[in-house]
């Protein structure tokens, strides 16, 4: 990756290199994935006060590729104790898939952790397959938990 970074610095992003430059930049950002806690949950930079919790590793990778770094994945449907503890210290936005499974996960997480906001992927889409623009739109449309529960 270090060699690729040096090569990338020499490219100006014009002409034939633009797609390669974009891809390499995204992959470099995705390589910054870390592990959080005893459960080794996939994560980005959790040092800030706001954290985005999503379902799994592929979601975390997609968010990192699109410059959303304050993210941690649950590795499936089970709410890990470490996520609940994060909610005690930080403001959590739960980012769920736009399907029935996402709604079920949201209900479980909301019942067992302190969640401030809920963001939902477009209907029928998963967070891992969203484009950068779709991610930003969904995050801008996040709603407080109470509003999410009322609108169900």
């Amino acid at each position: 990756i270090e060699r690729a970074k040096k090569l990338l610095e020499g490219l100006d992003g014009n002409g034939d290199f633009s797609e390669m430059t974009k891809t390499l930049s995204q992959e470099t950002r995705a390589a910054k994935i870390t592990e959080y806690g005893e459960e080794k949950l996939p994560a980005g930079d959790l040092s800030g006060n706001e954290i985005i919790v999503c379902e799994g590793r592929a979601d975390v990778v997609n968010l990192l590729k699109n410059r959303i770094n304050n993210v941690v994945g649950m590795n499936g449907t089970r709410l890990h104790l470490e996520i609940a503890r994060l909610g005690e210290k930080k403001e959590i936005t739960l980012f769920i898939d736009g399907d029935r499974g996402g709604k079920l996960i949201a209900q479980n997480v909301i019942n067992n952790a302190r969640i401030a906001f809920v963001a939902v992927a477009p209907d029928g889409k998963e967070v891992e397959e969203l484009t950068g623009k779709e991610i930003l739109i969904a995050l801008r449309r996040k709603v407080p938990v109470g509003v999410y529960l009322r609108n169900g």
Side-chain angles (χ1 to χ4, degrees), residues 70-151:
N70 56 329
V71 60
V72 62
M74 297 189 310
N75 274 347
T77 59
R78 196 181 112 215
L79 176 70
H80 295 273
L81 185 56
E82 286 141 339
I83 302 285
R85 286 187 190 137
L86 272 176
E88 295 170 7
K89 299 180 266 181
K90 299 178 184 273
E91 181 180 273
I92 290 183
T93 295
L94 180 63
F95 195 1
I96 57 171
D97 294 345
D99 58 15
R100 184 176 178 275
K103 290 178 183 178
L104 292 172
I105 288 170
Q107 194 64 50
N108 177 43
V109 173
I110 290 167
N111 288 339
N112 295 294
R114 199 177 102 217
I115 304 297
F117 299 97
V118 178
V120 183
D123 282 345
K125 287 201 166 186
E126 298 180 6
V127 173
E128 67 189 66
E129 64 188 24
L130 298 180
T131 65
K133 185 176 181 179
E134 289 172 318
I135 291 168
L136 293 177
I137 290 170
L139 289 173
R140 282 189 200 122
R141 291 181 178 165
K142 70 183 180 183
V143 295
V145 169
V147 172
Y148 175 80
L149 292 173
R150 279 193 302 276
N151 296 336

Side-chain angles (χ1 to χ4, degrees), residues 9-30:
E9 289 171 2
L11 299 175
D12 61 1
N14 295 325
D16 298 333
F17 295 112
S18 63
E19 188 61 33
M20 182 179 72
T21 303
K22 179 181 173 188
T23 301
L24 189 52
S25 293
Q26 288 178 338
E27 294 302 321
T28 301
R29 287 190 294 271

